[in-house]
Amino acid sequence: MSDPDRRRVFVACSRDNAVTALDLDRAVPVWRAGVGREPIPIVLDKPTERLFTADARSDTVSVLDAGTGDRVAQIPVGAYPAGLGHDPGRRRLFVGNTAGGTITVVDTDRLTVQGTVPAEPGAGSIAVVPGSGRGYCANFLAGSVTVFDADTLQPLGRIAVREGPCKVVADPAARHLYVANSLHGTISRVSLDSDAVLDEVPVERAPVGMCVDAAGRRLYVCNRGAGTVSVLDTGSGRESHRIVVGNAPGDCALDPVTGTLVVSNAGSGTLTFVDRPWLPAGPAPRTEHPLVGQPLPDFELPDLRGGRIRTTREWAEKRYVINFFASW
C-alpha cells in the first residue's frame, strides 16, 4: 500500500506481527508498529490518515496512525480475516473472514462494526467499484466471487471462477474485475457491466497479488510460486513480459508519481523496487551451475514405506527422476 502524498509505502510483516512504513524515495524504514497476529492486507484511509490491517490469527482489524504508527484501535471481526476492501465514499471498510465465510462491515470514522454480509467459504480479498455501489469478494475455498451491494449489505450474486481465487482488483477504466486464481495459475477477466467471465489469462505459478495502473492499461501480477511479476496488457488480455523479483512475491503497489512498482517478497523478507516496470528488461545472461554434467553424488534416504534406507547406488546406470517436494 503506497501513500504518494507522504512518499511512503506500508508493508504488512505477517511473520513479525508488525507493519513497517518506508520512505518511497530513499527506500529506508520510517517507523515500525506492532499489530495483531499475522497481518495480511493493508488499507489506507486518506480522510482520517489511518491504516487498517486484517490480523488473520487474532480475528481483529488493527487501526494505526499513518503518520506515526501509533495504534488507534483494534476491532474484533470474524474468523481469520484475510482480506480488506475499502469504500472511502461510503466511509466503509469490508473485511473478508476466511474461516467464517462472511464479510464484516466497519465504519472507518467511528471504528464500529455496522453489519455482516454473507459470502462463501474462504472469503478474503475484496474490491469495491467506486461509484457503482457494488463489491466483490473472492472466496478461496468455494472457487467463486460473491457480488454484494455496498449500501444495503445484501448479496447480489455469485461468479464462478477457477480454483483458489485469492485476490480481486477492480479496474473501472477498463470496466474489468481481475481475479487471481492461485491454484490454477490464471487471471480471470470479468466484465463489471455483466459480471460475466470474459476470458482467462495464464501466468506463472500461484498468482496471489495484483495491482493495476491508474490508466487501466496494465495489470501487474505477483506469481508467488515463481518469484516473478507478470505484466498483462488489459486491452488484449495478453502477457507482455515478466519481471524477476525476490522469493515468493505476495503483493505489489504502484507509485503514481514515479511509476515505480514496489513488490513485497514474503519468502525473502525484502522489497523489490522496479523502475519503469512497463518496459521489458533485456535478456538475462545465461549461466550454468558448475555441477551440471558432473556425476550425481552418492546419498541415501529412508523409504517412506517401512523406513528402509535407499541409496543412489541401487539405480546406477539407470534413468530416473528425483522429486524434492517442499511447500511454499
Side-chain angles (χ1 to χ4, degrees), residues 73-305:
Q74 198 164 42
I75 307 166
V77 289
Y80 202 89
L84 295 177
H86 188 214
D87 189 344
R90 292 174 177 78
R91 312 302 301 133
R92 283 178 168 173
L93 182 77
F94 297 91
V95 186
N97 304 308
T98 300
T102 60
I103 303 166
T104 300
V105 186
V106 175
D107 186 307
T108 52
D109 294 314
R110 298 180 178 85
L111 304 181
T112 56
V113 173
Q114 292 186 322
T116 302
V117 181
E120 291 191 290
S125 174
I126 298 171
V128 181
V129 183
S132 74
R134 294 165 72 88
Y136 297 82
C137 176
N139 304 307
F140 183 87
L141 298 178
S144 68
V145 174
T146 296
V147 187
F148 63 92
D149 190 304
D151 285 315
T152 65
L153 309 184
Q154 296 299 311
L156 300 174
R158 178 185 191 273
I159 304 170
V161 290
R162 291 290 193 168
E163 299 88 350
C166 64
K167 181 76 181 236
V168 287
V169 170
D171 181 2
R175 301 302 300 160
H176 289 157
L177 178 79
Y178 304 104
V179 186
N181 306 308
S182 63
L183 301 183
H184 197 254
T186 60
I187 305 299
S188 293
R189 294 199 305 167
V190 178
S191 168
L192 287 176
D193 298 315
S194 64
D195 290 343
V197 177
L198 301 174
D199 55 22
E200 284 184 70
V201 183
V203 289
E204 287 200 288
R205 298 183 301 278
V208 295
M210 297 183 293
C211 68
V212 65
D213 65 16
R217 295 175 181 171
R218 295 177 185 87
L219 180 73
Y220 298 92
V221 182
C222 295
N223 303 309
R224 183 161 184 163
T228 61
V229 172
S230 292
V231 184
L232 305 185
D233 182 288
T234 59
S236 65
R238 296 175 182 170
E239 181 182 75
S240 62
H241 60 283
R242 294 173 185 170
I243 304 167
V244 177
V245 291
N247 294 333
D251 213 344
C252 56
L254 282 166
D255 177 5
V257 176
T258 65
T260 299
L261 179 71
V262 185
V263 183
S264 59
N265 306 303
S268 51
T270 61
L271 295 180
T272 299
F273 291 77
V274 183
D275 183 35
R276 295 183 293 180
W278 55 88
L279 296 178
R286 296 190 64 180
T287 59
E288 192 171 79
H289 194 279
L291 290 181
V292 172
Q294 298 298 315
L296 179 70
D298 289 336
F299 63 89
E300 57 184 31
L301 292 169
D303 194 316
L304 291 178
R305 288 176 285 187

